[in-house]
Amino acid sequence: MTDPGSLSVTIVDGYVDEPAHFGVPPYISTYPRFTAGALVDAGVPEESITYHTIDELREDRMKWGDVADADLFVYVGGMTVPGKYVGGTPAEPDEVKELAWTADGVTLLGGPVRFGVGEENAGAQDMERKDLDYEFVAKGDIEAAAYDLVDSGLEGFNNRMRDNEELDRWASKGAFVVEQHPNHPDYLIAELETSRGCAYRCSFCTEPLYGNPAFRTPGSVVEEVDRLSDHGV
């Protein structure tokens, strides 16, 4: 059984863009933050978690060593709506594959990328499900998969959605990771999620794919904002 306290984890943010959920700089999405919080909740020390954006890796090949050396490598990304960006360039599928090939440890892929991959990492395309050469693909929530994978000793997980009780813990526990974003502290906007899911089924929107609406408590949101503020956002 792998001791969570001995694990090193690298999270790479390939950026996400969903309706009302921005993740391309100057924004940081909830996905890497919640995933970091889930890892900490599962027993991984904060100091053992490294976070990089895809743009960082493009600019400094030395940082790929953090991908290669990690016991667990987690990639988060996926575009579900079309957009043009001035703060960063979302990862292309070939780059996502190269990350998997580079990693010597266990590899986990998740985020909106689970809905499918086109010829490039952009929204409004014909999509198909691909594993992009990762050992594990989170078909549910990436943060739940990360927690369960560590809890199992890196043996596996059941695809599932996290509940709001877990999110209450993970949202605040993962706030520390914003300090590793290259835009921190001056040009960083933290996306917040107060609810998700939708009872309506509009053809242009992916939100119904998350099920019917589920709302966080005000206290949970305030706690997350407090922690983000403590870490310089």
Side-chain angles (χ1 to χ4, degrees):
M1 188 72 171
T2 304
D3 176 14
S6 69
L7 289 178
S8 62
V9 184
T10 295
I11 301 170
V12 169
D13 190 348
Y15 309 141
V16 306
D17 190 2
E18 299 177 282
H21 194 153
F22 304 139
V24 183
Y27 296 92
I28 180 171
S29 77
T30 62
Y31 292 101
R33 292 161 20 218
F34 293 173
T35 300
L39 291 166
V40 170
D41 197 37
V44 180
E46 285 186 14
E47 59 270 20
S48 297
I49 298 173
T50 300
Y51 167 86
H52 291 309
T53 67
I54 188 63
D55 283 316
E56 282 185 88
L57 298 184
R58 292 177 179 130
E59 294 168 7
D60 185 354
R61 294 292 302 189
M62 294 293 291
K63 291 182 178 179
W64 285 73
D66 292 329
V67 175
D69 297 339
D71 298 313
L72 172 61
F73 166 60
V74 183
Y75 174 80
V76 179
M79 301 281 116
T80 65
V81 294
K84 296 184 181 298
Y85 311 100
V86 296
T89 303
E92 297 292 349
D94 285 348
E95 291 177 309
V96 183
K97 285 184 179 180
E98 185 181 0
L99 288 164
W101 301 337
T102 299
D104 293 327
V106 174
T107 57
L108 172 63
L109 173 81
V113 69
R114 69 188 175 88
F115 294 128
V117 180
E119 291 302 313
E120 58 182 348
N121 205 351
Q125 297 185 32
D126 291 331
M127 301 289 197
E128 60 178 306
R129 289 182 181 270
K130 298 179 180 178
D131 64 11
L132 298 176
D133 297 332
Y134 283 71
E135 289 176 70
F136 295 105
V137 178
K139 299 295 176 58
D141 284 322
I142 179 64
E143 56 268 34
Y147 179 91
D148 292 348
L149 187 58
V150 169
D151 192 54
S152 75
L154 302 184
E155 294 296 322
F157 57 88
N158 293 319
N159 286 302
R160 68 179 181 90
M161 308 299 278
R162 42 83 175 158
D163 58 37
N164 279 347
E165 184 177 330
E166 290 174 316
L167 187 56
D168 287 348
R169 303 194 305 270
W170 298 348
S172 59
K173 286 179 182 288
F176 74 94
V177 86
V178 298
E179 295 190 16
Q180 299 183 47
H181 194 287
N183 285 36
H184 182 275
D186 296 323
Y187 304 105
L188 188 62
I189 301 170
E191 181 72 57
L192 293 177
E193 178 184 294
T194 59
S195 68
R196 73 171 179 182
C198 187
Y200 298 98
R201 300 293 183 262
C202 301
S203 61
F204 60 85
C205 187
T206 57
E207 198 62 27
L209 297 175
Y210 292 104
N212 289 325
F215 295 89
R216 294 172 64 187
T217 65
S220 171
V221 177
V222 170
E223 176 69 16
E224 181 184 7
V225 171
D226 277 346
R227 295 291 77 75
L228 289 166
S229 178
D230 290 342
H231 290 287
V233 175

